[in-house]
Amino acid sequence: MTENTNSTILPKITVDLSSYNNESYNPTGKLYSTLWYFVSLVFFQNGWFPFYSLKRVLLRLFSAKIGRGVIIKPFVKIKYPKLLQIGDYSWIGEQVWIDNLAVVEIAAHCCISQGALLLCGNHDYKKSTFDLSVSPIKIKMGSWLGARTTVTGGIVVEKYTVLLTGSTLHNSTQPYGIYRGLPAVWVRKRAIYS
């Protein structure tokens, strides 16, 4: 019998999700989370409520920092308003999911297009307990995240960045850059208009 020398020995991987414990993560408390859950269902996650001014008021009541003229389209999911800042005249498109387990800052005059995902949380796959890790997202002035784009935690989207449709951003950008792909890479400089 001959020994197979081409086989590789894989490390032992253990995942035990029964030992996952997320109790230390509690940015808002149970009452806040419960109230927001129902307000979100009625006013944000359906198509029957198009009144932008009342959406701004509701977000402010839940401690979000919301600027003037912010437009939030139907079917938008926001995890924790308390951890959300949106600057003046920014647009949040239909079916955007702001999964803000950490602070998400969206500056003025930004456009977050339909189906975009801002994802602040992840899990440590190197630990058998699959521990939660969170980090903020900052989107600076005049940036545009195209439809079905994803931005992961710890990212700074510099001013006037464009992330093209369907792209996923894993690294921070340069100002005025146009990015595309999985993962997104720099394509060219954005034209500056007066």
Side-chain angles (χ1 to χ4, degrees):
M1 195 177 272
T2 62
E3 185 177 321
N4 183 354
T5 57
N6 291 332
S7 66
T8 57
I9 299 174
L10 296 175
K12 182 179 177 185
I13 297 174
T14 303
V15 177
D16 180 8
L17 295 180
S18 68
S19 62
Y20 176 75
N21 185 342
N22 194 28
E23 290 179 11
S24 64
Y25 179 80
N26 186 0
T28 59
K30 288 183 180 180
L31 179 60
Y32 175 101
S33 295
T34 302
L35 287 173
W36 173 247
Y37 174 79
F38 290 107
V39 168
S40 178
L41 279 178
V42 172
F43 297 103
F44 291 85
Q45 294 183 48
N46 71 63
W48 295 99
F49 195 82
F51 306 107
Y52 306 131
S53 59
L54 186 53
K55 288 180 182 181
R56 293 190 295 265
V57 168
L58 289 169
L59 283 169
R60 290 177 188 128
L61 285 173
F62 279 86
S63 302
K65 295 176 182 169
I66 305 297
R68 292 169 296 157
V70 170
I71 293 176
I72 299 176
K73 294 285 190 173
F75 306 107
V76 170
K77 291 172 72 175
I78 299 166
K79 182 76 90 178
Y80 297 115
K82 184 178 185 176
L83 301 176
L84 181 62
Q85 301 172 26
I86 304 176
D88 296 343
Y89 304 104
S90 284
W91 301 349
I92 309 299
E94 289 185 14
Q95 298 181 343
V96 167
W97 182 11
I98 302 175
D99 193 20
N100 57 331
L101 298 171
V103 173
V104 168
E105 295 178 48
I106 301 168
H109 304 284
C110 290
C111 179
I112 314 299
S113 294
Q114 60 271 26
L117 172 60
L118 306 181
L119 183 62
C120 291
N122 208 339
H123 293 276
D124 188 347
Y125 65 87
K126 297 175 186 172
K127 293 186 178 181
S128 64
T129 53
F130 215 48
D131 292 355
L132 178 67
S133 61
V134 300
S135 49
I137 293 172
K138 181 180 262 191
I139 301 167
K140 293 189 178 181
M141 168 83 86
S143 292
W144 177 18
L145 306 183
R148 304 271 179 221
T149 55
T150 301
V151 176
T152 58
I155 299 298
V156 176
V157 178
E158 289 291 346
K159 64 182 181 178
Y160 302 106
T161 293
V162 175
L163 183 61
L164 297 176
T165 302
S167 299
T168 298
L169 196 57
H170 291 287
N171 295 303
S172 295
T173 67
Q174 295 296 318
Y176 301 95
I178 297 176
Y179 291 79
R180 173 180 59 210
L182 299 167
V185 294
W186 186 89
V187 176
R188 65 182 177 276
K189 188 171 182 177
R190 182 178 183 180
I192 302 170
Y193 302 103
S194 55

